[in-house]
Amino acid sequence: MTSNSPQESLAASPSSGRGVLDSGFQVLQAISEFPEGCGLSVLARSAGLPKATAYRLAEQLVSLGAVQRVEQRYFVGSRLAELGRQWQAAPMLRRAAQRPGRILAALTESMVAVCVLEQGAIHTVTGFNGADVFLSARPDNDIVFRTALAQVLMDRRADAAAPPPGYSATEWRKVRRGIEDNGSVAVDHFDVVSGICCAAAPIRWNGGRGVATIGCMSLTTRFPPGMPGLVARAAREIEKNLR
């Protein structure tokens, strides 16, 4: 009687493969919730699996490098971390934004970023002139949601009328009216950070289901009057590229 390899065991059969994969992801999710590692009992309880099943799946994932075991505790493995680094937010949008984003950054001599809203979190798809580095050191969410980039994203949600974190209902209604009056462009006149102004416009993508924006952030003492129009034009160019 021969034993299956880890890959064969995880694949199982067509009828049971989905269940095995679901359980494997339950194990990975449970382990990821314990940065200090977790023992088998905690792992089984967190994953909602029998201890024997949790042990078998965890050991198979150890063999694949997706999980690491140190003594009797399980941690996220290096292979899983390596795969995670390859993740991209909206890769087709990133490709479509390259030329318009570079042109906008050159015309305005400022930082330009393309962002999306996924599951309530703001992700930078691509950045130019250092915008991706600038946004990677994000402050707390209340400040993030006050940027022009975030205002456009939150204004395009399915439940857009609900105020985002840090806004009262009255304040959010005022912000939304301002975006509408500016032709769907949000403008930040040094409101969030002194010395940095911003204009952002929505991008329709993924058949209209996606929520995305392009924003231009300028370090200047005066708000550039032509920036909102240039940002709106870049958004339309990205939409053309997506089509």
Side-chain angles (χ1 to χ4, degrees):
M1 181 175 179
T2 59
S3 59
N4 292 334
S5 68
Q7 291 88 339
E8 291 169 337
S9 297
L10 282 175
S13 64
S15 60
S16 63
R18 176 61 186 270
V20 173
L21 287 172
D22 285 345
S23 297
F25 275 104
Q26 285 175 251
V27 168
L28 289 171
Q29 178 65 41
I31 293 173
S32 71
E33 293 171 358
F34 295 92
E36 302 301 319
C38 62
L40 180 58
S41 297
V42 172
L43 172 58
R45 183 165 60 251
S46 298
L49 296 170
K51 187 179 289 189
T53 301
Y55 174 76
R56 176 173 55 82
L57 289 170
E59 289 299 315
Q60 290 173 353
L61 290 165
V62 168
S63 299
L64 293 169
V67 169
Q68 62 175 325
R69 176 169 35 79
V70 180
E71 296 180 349
Q72 301 304 314
R73 301 181 75 81
Y74 293 101
F75 298 81
V76 170
S78 60
R79 187 173 183 184
L80 196 63
E82 181 181 343
L83 291 172
R85 284 193 291 270
Q86 304 306 315
W87 179 81
Q88 299 179 45
M92 296 305 292
L93 177 60
R94 177 187 176 90
R95 179 178 177 182
Q98 292 303 306
R99 189 169 186 273
R102 293 184 192 282
I103 291 175
L104 179 61
L107 289 174
T108 60
E109 298 182 341
S110 60
M111 296 181 288
V112 171
V114 176
C115 299
V116 294
L117 184 69
E118 290 186 359
Q119 299 180 347
I122 298 171
H123 298 279
T124 302
V125 175
T126 188
F128 307 89
N129 281 0
D132 46 351
V133 177
F134 178 78
L135 292 172
S136 66
R138 297 185 305 189
D140 61 83
N141 281 341
D142 285 1
I143 295 178
V144 169
F145 285 126
R146 287 189 171 275
T147 63
L149 281 159
Q151 287 176 356
V152 170
L153 290 173
M154 302 306 287
D155 185 50
R156 292 293 168 134
R157 296 169 299 160
D159 58 340
Y167 289 90
S168 66
T170 301
E171 190 178 14
W172 181 237
R173 283 195 296 269
K174 182 179 178 180
V175 168
R176 296 191 71 203
R177 283 197 300 270
I179 293 174
E180 183 178 359
D181 292 344
N182 285 325
S184 298
V185 177
V187 179
D188 167 19
H189 291 92
F190 312 101
D191 301 317
V192 179
V193 179
S194 177
I196 300 178
C197 58
C198 180
I203 301 168
R204 292 183 294 272
W205 73 290
N206 197 21
R209 297 185 298 276
V211 181
T213 183
I214 182 168
C216 194
M217 295 166 286
S218 180
L219 281 71
T220 180
T221 56
R222 294 182 57 193
F223 186 87
M227 193 162 69
L230 290 172
V231 170
R233 184 183 303 175
R236 303 293 80 80
E237 289 300 317
I238 293 172
E239 290 176 352
K240 288 180 183 178
N241 291 343
L242 286 167
R243 290 194 294 269

